[in-house]
Structures are given as structure tokens and as C-alpha cells.
Amino acid sequence: GVEWVLEQAHTPKVDVVEAVEKGKSAFVGPEVYKKTLGVIGLGAIGAMVANDALSLGMDVIGYDPFITIEAAWSLKKEVRRAVSLEQLVAQSDIITIHVPLSDKTRDTINEEVLAKTKKGAILLNFARGGLVNNEALKDALKKGIISKYVVDFPDEEVIGIEGIIAVPHLGAS
């Protein structure tokens, strides 16, 4: 008892504030203010993301060839319309996908689309696996076209690859 207390009294104390400040660099990411967010799919979720991004001071461009009238009414007027997927990816610093997976949407993000993507873009996929072609994505990461890919539907092809951040699927949570 007493020996332990004396030993602790002579042990240098850790400055918690200093230790936390040193460790925060592991969590630093890019500033989103004034960046352009490209939203692919402007249904219920995509529209909410677009509107919330405007509230964060982002410029927002959206693309959805199948947008419903109801979804269009839910968008803030500041959301700009892209006439093509290629226009959206060429102008966006951050791209987020909000479309269902079907035969028509599989590989929406493919080699051709990535070739037109703004260099260094961040790609977010919280919609479905299969919307992004993994081989084309890995090539785009190597070329610096995509700087980071965040996915909550990871598979064995993307686990452990530098630049890919796999997170649990928490959409319904």
C-alpha cells in the first residue's frame, strides 16, 4: 500500500490535455466548407444529404435522371442540377452515392466515369455494394484520381487497401 503510493508520487504524471492534442492528428480530415459535394441519387436520403451539406456551407450538385416530383420539391433551391454523371464527377470534391442496386445501376462508378472524375476526389458509398466497380476504383486510387473511398458495404476485394476506409453498415441505425 504505502510503497505503491510513494512510487506513484515520484512517477512523472501524464499531461492528459497534451496527450489528447498530440493524438488528434490521427482524426484530421479535409475541411468540407466551400467544397463541392456531388450527390448521385436524389431520393429521400440523397435529398437530405444534399440539403444538410448546404447547411454546412458546401456547394452541392446533384444528378438523378429518375428523380420524382416529390423528391425534387424536397430539395433546397441552391442544389445545382448536373445534366450528366460525368459533369457531376468532374466538378465534385466529394462524391456520395444514394441509389438502389439494380442491373441498371451496377458499376455506376466505373472506369469511364472515374476517368472524368476530378483528381483527388473523395468517394463515399453508403448505398450498396456493387455500385462501384472495385477494379476501376483500385486503379483510380493508384492514379490519385480518388484520394479516399469510404464504404459501408466492404468486401474482400477492398479490405486492407490503402485509401479505402471500410466501416460497418449502420444506415438503418
Side-chain angles (χ1 to χ4, degrees):
V2 174
E3 290 91 15
W4 183 84
V5 172
L6 291 172
E7 184 180 321
Q8 295 305 310
H10 297 295
T11 304
K13 297 290 182 193
V14 173
D15 183 338
V16 174
V17 173
E18 184 179 326
V20 169
E21 285 299 311
K22 282 183 179 177
K24 78 179 183 182
S25 64
F27 300 97
V28 173
E31 178 71 48
V32 296
Y33 181 70
K34 293 291 183 189
K35 293 285 194 304
T36 298
L37 177 69
V39 182
I40 302 169
L42 294 165
I45 302 298
M48 284 193 300
V49 169
N51 290 338
D52 288 348
L54 288 169
S55 298
L56 293 172
M58 298 184 81
D59 296 320
V60 180
I61 184 170
Y63 175 73
D64 190 337
F66 308 107
I67 191 168
T68 65
I69 292 171
E70 184 177 324
W73 277 107
S74 72
L75 286 172
K76 292 181 180 178
K77 67 180 186 315
E78 295 86 2
V79 175
R80 295 179 292 125
R81 176 180 172 254
V83 296
S84 69
L85 184 56
E86 291 76 15
Q87 178 194 3
L88 181 139
V89 298
Q91 295 179 9
S92 301
D93 301 301
I94 303 168
I95 302 160
T96 183
I97 308 167
H98 299 280
V99 298
L101 180 62
S102 70
D103 289 339
K104 289 182 181 179
T105 61
R106 184 174 307 283
D107 292 339
T108 294
I109 304 298
N110 55 38
E111 187 177 352
E112 293 79 26
V113 171
L114 289 166
K116 301 204 169 145
T117 299
K118 185 176 184 178
K119 189 168 178 67
I122 296 169
L123 178 60
L124 310 174
N125 180 6
F126 299 113
R128 292 286 179 267
L131 295 172
V132 177
N133 179 287
N134 287 336
E135 292 307 313
L137 170 71
K138 290 188 275 187
D139 187 52
L141 280 162
K142 286 178 190 168
K143 292 177 179 174
I145 295 168
I146 298 295
S147 63
K148 296 282 184 223
Y149 175 55
V150 183
V151 59
D152 71 345
F153 283 94
D155 58 32
E156 59 280 348
E157 290 182 46
V158 299
I159 297 297
I161 295 176
E162 188 174 341
I164 297 180
I165 302 168
V167 297
H169 177 60
L170 298 172
S173 301

